[in-house]
Amino acid sequence: MLADFGFVGLFIIVAIAFSALLIILPVVFRYLKIVPYNPNPIKNATFECGMETIGRTWVQFNFRYYFYALIFLALDVLAVFLYPWAVELRQLGTSGFLGALVFIIVIVVGYLYAWQKKVLEWK
Amino acid sequence: MVIPNIAVDAVRHLGAVAPDWPGHPWWHWVVFTLINIVFILVMIIGVIYIERRAIAWFAARTGPNRTGPFGLLQAIADAIKILLKEFITPMNADKIVFWIAPAVVFAPVIMIFAVVPFMNGAMLADLNIGILFVVAISSISTVGVFMAGWSSSNKYSMIGAMRLVASVISYEIPVVLALAGVVLIAGSLSLNDIVLAQQTVPFILVQPLGFFLLFVGGCAEINRSPFDLMEADSELVAGFHTEYSGMKFAMYYLGEYGEAVVMATIISTLFLGGWQWPFLPGWLWLILKIFLVFFTMVWTRATLPRVRIDQLMAVAWKFLFPLALINLLVTALQVLAGWPEDLLWLMGIVNYVLLGVLILLWSRMYKVGWGRIEV
């Protein structure tokens, strides 16, 4: 089993190297004069449908999924805890099911509260 | 046929003998690394071909048909063309993040195939946490997309990337819970064991609700139309890759279709029986099933109009998530009841009735949101 994880680790390195190769290849081609390189200020400007960009991009703006992210965090923890339970449910039996049920109910109460507080509305 | 035989042989050695690092297992790793990378690239080309021809067919056009027989070489011609294009780095961009982002999107797509079985035991590594590995790795691409949107220093890209993060974290929950239903029945996280558990009945017949959730949530997570709001070209130019050009743009293109291949592979492995089917070799069945699932996705894209962002979120939180929880609990009860093997078809019928009733009831109970919204 440890060897399997080693294989996967090596494979991940190969995958990253392959992706890096795809990025570096055009740079090599540029030095070989196969890929053209003629920069100018208009070409390198930020694209905005022909208009010139006003102001910076990295500013604070109101995007409405702050609460979604919070609920996601709680529910993702639920999902992580349910996986080992799902694998071993046959061994755990009814008591295991009831334990998970209590856990799910706790989360669902919070979810219903959020829904009732209109957190799930996009407004 | 020769290569899979060698590979299966290598796996047998790995299982039988304690894996001593120098020697035989290395060949297993080398063979499967090559197979995986070639497989993903060939599948991406095939999937792009299917998408363009099928969309053309649905739209009563011909599609690409000049390059090679039936236009089969069109994707390769496009790749060569785009490799030789000039690439532009915008003045205002965050240069380092801008250059790293395409790799962060594309590398996870290759990584996932490490745990996908092509035939019985023919995989790079039979991890006992297979599905968790898939879920964990497939989330990394989102980070790459957000890096791209942020570093481009373009407002459209930024909004597109924000929308992507919002939709992916919303659809992650139903997808993960739908996968847990399969884990309950199979009793294992290893993808190979799950395929072996579908010897008699593929899980689409036993878990129709799980399949529905995974298909809808998967389409949203890989940003396929009708959920492709992050690159809604009528409002956001091209979303997060507006500023990209040349090979870096091509990597997003590859990554997007690669994610579609990954999602189709996961669906066909978990629900359609993976390599299991008679007559043809297993890996060929797997490829055919991947193409079938992908064709269904293209069909969905051609049929349904694009949804609005508030509707997108409402479907995930108010429709799919409760259904996913109910599906999980019902499946757990059925597993606990110790359903006998020869009555699986009855369980399937029960679950199909449940699917219909739940979807009908639940779609009456809440409003997705229509008309104008105040912004």
Side-chain angles (χ1 to χ4, degrees):
Chain A
M1 186 38 69
L2 209 56
D4 282 345
F5 280 100
F7 279 1
V8 172
L10 285 177
F11 184 65
I12 287 176
I13 292 174
V14 170
I16 294 171
F18 185 72
S19 311
L21 179 77
L22 284 185
I23 292 184
I24 292 169
L25 208 59
V27 183
V28 176
F29 281 176
R30 178 191 272 180
Y31 281 111
L32 295 177
K33 305 277 186 204
I34 300 174
V35 171
Y37 180 55
N38 308 305
N40 69 51
I42 304 293
K43 195 190 273 181
N44 289 359
T46 302
F47 178 82
E48 205 175 292
C49 302
M51 284 180 281
E52 281 181 29
T53 309
I54 298 170
R56 287 165 55 81
T57 305
W58 299 319
V59 293
Q60 283 190 335
F61 66 97
N62 177 16
F63 200 76
R64 301 168 173 106
Y65 71 91
Y66 175 70
F67 285 114
Y68 288 109
L70 284 181
I71 305 170
F72 165 76
L73 216 58
L75 294 181
D76 218 24
V77 172
L78 168 86
V80 167
F81 276 114
L82 281 182
Y83 263 80
W85 168 81
V87 176
E88 290 293 325
L89 182 68
R90 281 191 181 83
Q91 278 76 40
L92 293 173
T94 318
S95 58
F97 176 74
L98 290 179
L101 195 63
V102 170
F103 182 42
I104 290 174
I105 286 174
V106 170
I107 299 281
V108 165
V109 167
Y111 163 75
L112 290 177
Y113 177 73
W115 190 342
Q116 200 259 332
K117 280 281 179 186
K118 304 219 184 298
V119 171
L120 300 183
E121 311 289 327
W122 186 272
K123 62 180 189 315
Chain B
M1 275 311 287
V2 178
I3 292 174
N5 281 342
I6 295 173
V8 172
D9 197 41
V11 178
R12 285 212 190 96
H13 274 272
L14 192 69
V17 190
D20 48 336
W21 281 81
H24 207 88
W26 277 114
W27 284 111
H28 167 73
W29 182 79
V30 170
V31 167
F32 270 102
T33 305
L34 288 177
I35 288 181
N36 279 338
I37 290 182
V38 172
F39 182 79
I40 180 72
L41 291 178
V42 172
M43 286 308 275
I44 287 175
I45 290 173
V47 148
I48 289 176
Y49 177 75
I50 288 181
E51 165 113 39
R52 296 183 67 173
R53 287 309 289 255
I55 279 288
W57 184 41
F58 284 121
R61 296 179 280 119
T62 17
N65 62 353
R66 293 302 162 113
T67 327
F70 308 108
L72 274 169
L73 300 179
Q74 183 67 45
I76 296 170
D78 285 345
I80 293 171
K81 188 195 88 172
I82 210 158
L83 187 60
L84 303 179
K85 283 268 184 186
E86 180 178 5
F87 51 94
I88 300 162
T89 313
M91 270 181 305
N92 297 329
D94 188 327
K95 301 274 185 320
I96 297 171
V97 182
F98 187 82
W99 276 77
I100 295 175
V104 180
V105 173
F106 187 59
V109 172
I110 308 178
M111 289 177 199
I112 286 175
F113 279 88
V115 295
V116 173
F118 298 108
M119 281 170 75
N120 188 9
M123 56 212 284
L124 188 103
D126 189 2
L127 289 191
N128 53 1
I129 54 158
I131 290 186
L132 270 184
F133 179 83
V134 170
V135 170
I137 297 286
S138 63
S139 306
I140 296 179
S141 299
T142 315
V143 180
V145 171
F146 190 74
M147 283 163 72
W150 186 81
S151 66
S152 299
S153 176
N154 181 326
K155 282 154 193 156
Y156 293 132
S157 306
M158 188 75 177
I159 294 175
M162 284 286 200
R163 280 184 181 178
L164 175 97
V165 174
S167 72
V168 165
I169 66 169
S170 303
Y171 280 87
E172 186 89 9
I173 305 287
V175 163
V176 171
L177 289 181
L179 295 180
V182 173
V183 174
L184 269 170
I185 295 188
S188 169
L189 289 170
S190 154
L191 289 179
N192 200 34
D193 291 351
I194 290 175
V195 175
L196 285 176
Q198 303 176 52
Q199 196 108 45
T200 46
V201 186
F203 283 156
I204 183 174
L205 297 177
V206 190
Q207 282 271 304
L209 192 51
F211 175 78
F212 170 76
L213 292 169
L214 183 57
F215 190 79
V216 176
C219 279
E221 273 204 35
I222 60 179
N223 309 302
R224 289 196 58 81
S225 193
F227 304 113
D228 62 342
L229 274 163
M230 63 152 190
E231 48 187 279
D233 32 6
S234 49
E235 37 190 290
L236 292 181
V237 192
F240 64 92
H241 56 61
T242 304
E243 294 289 352
Y244 279 88
S245 54
M247 197 57 197
K248 290 205 285 297
F249 167 74
M251 284 182 71
Y252 285 116
Y253 202 72
L254 283 179
E256 193 175 311
Y257 282 98
E259 282 176 17
V261 172
V262 164
M263 194 44 77
T265 311
I266 298 305
I267 289 176
S268 44
T269 306
L270 294 185
F271 285 97
L272 301 182
W275 44 264
Q276 300 249 32
W277 211 273
F279 309 129
L280 286 178
W283 51 271
L284 194 56
W285 269 120
L286 184 66
I287 291 174
L288 289 178
K289 282 170 184 173
I290 291 172
F291 282 154
L292 179 73
V293 174
F294 185 77
F295 179 75
T296 319
M297 287 180 184
V298 176
W299 196 352
T300 325
R301 171 182 166 182
T303 309
L304 297 175
R306 187 182 280 140
V307 298
R308 213 168 53 195
I309 181 84
D310 62 317
Q311 295 167 338
L312 177 83
M313 305 298 268
V315 167
W317 288 103
K318 299 178 181 172
F319 189 71
L320 294 182
F321 171 65
L323 287 196
L325 265 187
I326 293 171
N327 175 49
L328 188 74
L329 290 176
V330 168
T331 312
L333 278 177
Q334 284 170 341
V335 167
L336 269 186
W339 214 283
E341 276 289 312
D342 48 337
L343 279 180
L344 269 178
W345 58 272
L346 191 63
M347 181 167 160
I349 292 175
V350 169
N351 283 343
Y352 266 96
V353 171
L354 197 71
L355 167 79
V357 170
L358 275 179
I359 287 181
L360 276 180
L361 277 184
W362 220 271
S363 49
R364 293 282 156 84
M365 271 177 63
Y366 80 99
K367 291 176 180 172
V368 170
W370 49 76
R372 296 180 68 86
I373 49 167
E374 302 296 321
V375 178

